[in-house]
Amino acid sequence: MAEAALRTQLCELAKSLFDRGYSVGTAGNVSVRLPDGYLMTPTNSCLGRLDPERISKLGPDWAHLSGDKPSKEVFLHRAVLDARPEAGAVVHLHSTHATAISCLAPEGGDAEIPPLTPYFVMRIGRRLPCVAYYRPGDAAMEPAVHAAARAAKALLLANHGPVVSGASLTEAVHAAEELEEAARLALVLRGVPGVRALNAAQVDDLLETFG
Ligand code: 13P
């Protein structure tokens, strides 16, 4: 997709996430890989009110080239896109239920979202690592995020929120939505007797078919 169309798509998808409450205020940020660098949402921007022409553009070395000042989470996005060469976009949200899980998951371990539904397995996969807490925008998080992103398409930042990659921007957004719904289901069903998750063979079958 040409850069101008990607800028428009980024603004439309970000607004759709904002309108449905997946981010509030100026929370969240999005990056997209381009042939000649990256697009990124500007720092302190509201995902519901982005302007295609003011989206930050960064070069292949992540230096700021044009548009507004990029998100403070540039290290986060760089770590994921470097770790996953097949990824074309990264979405970071503070969506409520995935963030709640990020407050429960062990730092440096895996979050326990059971494979309750096929689409969670198909869009997110087998693992959801939780990176230890860092201050938002702290460059020191980069090695830990890189390691987690090598192991999984999506990860949680402890006490902060989800970070989801996808082959394209739409795939990253869809996966972020799926993660939020899976987190919501996991919390709704927590401690409820008789909950049935998919079994290992069903998970393997999904990943072989759609993974
Ligand atoms: P930015 O406004 O710099 O993108 O930061 C928002 C955020 O979600 C921090 O994690």
Side-chain angles (χ1 to χ4, degrees), residues 3-177:
E3 183 178 322
L6 266 175
R7 285 172 179 265
T8 305
Q9 185 188 53
L10 197 170
C11 297
E12 286 172 0
L13 289 171
K15 178 172 173 9
S16 161
L17 288 169
F18 181 84
D19 287 348
R20 288 174 292 144
Y22 286 87
S23 76
V24 296
T26 62
N29 31 71
V30 180
S31 63
V32 182
R33 195 195 298 274
L34 299 172
D36 62 346
Y38 305 89
L39 292 177
M40 183 149 222
T41 49
T43 191
N44 295 326
S45 58
C46 169
L47 292 192
R49 292 189 288 276
L50 293 172
D51 176 347
E53 294 187 0
R54 294 180 61 180
I55 297 289
S56 314
K57 177 145 186 198
L58 297 92
D61 57 355
W62 291 87
H64 183 204
L65 298 178
S66 62
D68 288 353
K69 186 179 173 201
S71 169
K72 69 173 82 61
E73 300 290 18
V74 66
F75 305 107
L76 169 67
H77 290 255
R78 181 168 78 179
V80 177
L81 288 169
D82 280 358
R84 303 191 71 81
E86 76 285 6
V90 174
V91 175
H92 165 53
L93 299 171
H94 297 175
S95 54
T96 307
H97 300 87
T99 302
I101 297 282
S102 84
C103 301
L104 292 165
E107 292 182 277
D110 275 16
E112 281 190 33
I113 297 189
L116 292 166
T117 65
Y119 269 69
F120 173 63
V121 176
M122 288 154 58
R123 300 280 184 250
I124 302 297
R126 225 182 273 277
R127 291 193 52 197
L128 183 63
C130 179
V131 171
Y133 175 78
Y134 289 87
R135 171 173 43 78
D138 188 347
M141 78 174 75
E142 196 162 355
V145 172
H146 193 276
R150 281 179 66 99
K153 280 183 204 166
L155 56 98
L156 299 176
L157 303 175
N159 298 74
H160 185 164
V163 182
V164 183
S165 67
S168 65
L169 179 56
T170 45
E171 284 185 37
V173 168
H174 292 164
E177 293 171 341

